[in-house]
Structures are given as C-alpha cells and as structure tokens.
Amino acid sequence: MQKLSTSQQMGRILTARRKAVGLTQAHVAAQLGISQNRLSEIENQPGYLTLDRLLALAGILGLELTIQARENVVPTESEW
C-alpha cells in the first residue's frame, strides 16, 4: 500500500502501473474514451483528475483505492 501526500505521486503511480502491466497510453485512453494526449496530461498533471475518472483508470489498471483514517489524528473543523 502506498500513502499519498501529493497529486504528483498519484500520477507516478498510475504511470508506473500502466507500464508494469504492459499497457500503452493509447490502449488505456481508448478504454476510458479519451485521447492519448489527454491521458498523458492526466499522468503528468493528475491534480485535475476527477474522482470518477480516477476510479475508472484504477479499474483498468487493476488497482483499488482505499481511504482510511490516519492513526492518532483527529480532524479539526478546519480540515473538513
């Protein structure tokens, strides 16, 4: 499991996974219904990735997303 603290980390994870499973940007983009150019943008600037698109991309790459509470951290009102 990998912990994320920046959107750039997500881009690197998605790119590495795509390459590890032997898929091209063109193949993944076609499955998402977007251009290869747009997938390249997503991998390089994932900060603008929608949750729906992230979930679809994760599914194509055989990944699952998990959100869990941090240990010993109570969120303050300003974090919500």
Side-chain angles (χ1 to χ4, degrees):
M1 183 182 316
Q2 296 181 350
K3 295 181 182 181
L4 299 177
S5 56
T6 69
S7 61
Q8 291 304 316
Q9 290 170 314
M10 178 58 75
R12 287 190 295 270
I13 289 167
L14 294 172
T15 301
R17 177 63 180 182
R18 177 181 56 74
K19 290 178 179 180
V21 296
L23 298 175
T24 64
Q25 283 184 339
H27 179 81
V28 173
Q31 288 189 331
L32 287 172
I34 61 174
S35 70
Q36 180 273 324
N37 227 18
R38 179 67 186 118
L39 181 60
S40 177
E41 290 173 358
I42 288 170
E43 289 182 349
N44 290 303
Q45 297 177 335
Y48 298 108
L49 184 58
T50 66
L51 181 57
D52 286 340
R53 181 73 39 88
L54 175 58
L55 291 169
L57 184 51
I60 291 168
L61 298 176
L63 298 170
E64 65 180 21
L65 301 175
T66 302
I67 297 176
Q68 66 184 34
R70 287 186 246 161
E71 292 182 22
N72 302 320
V73 176
V74 178
T76 64
E77 192 172 313
S78 65
E79 289 180 308
W80 296 102

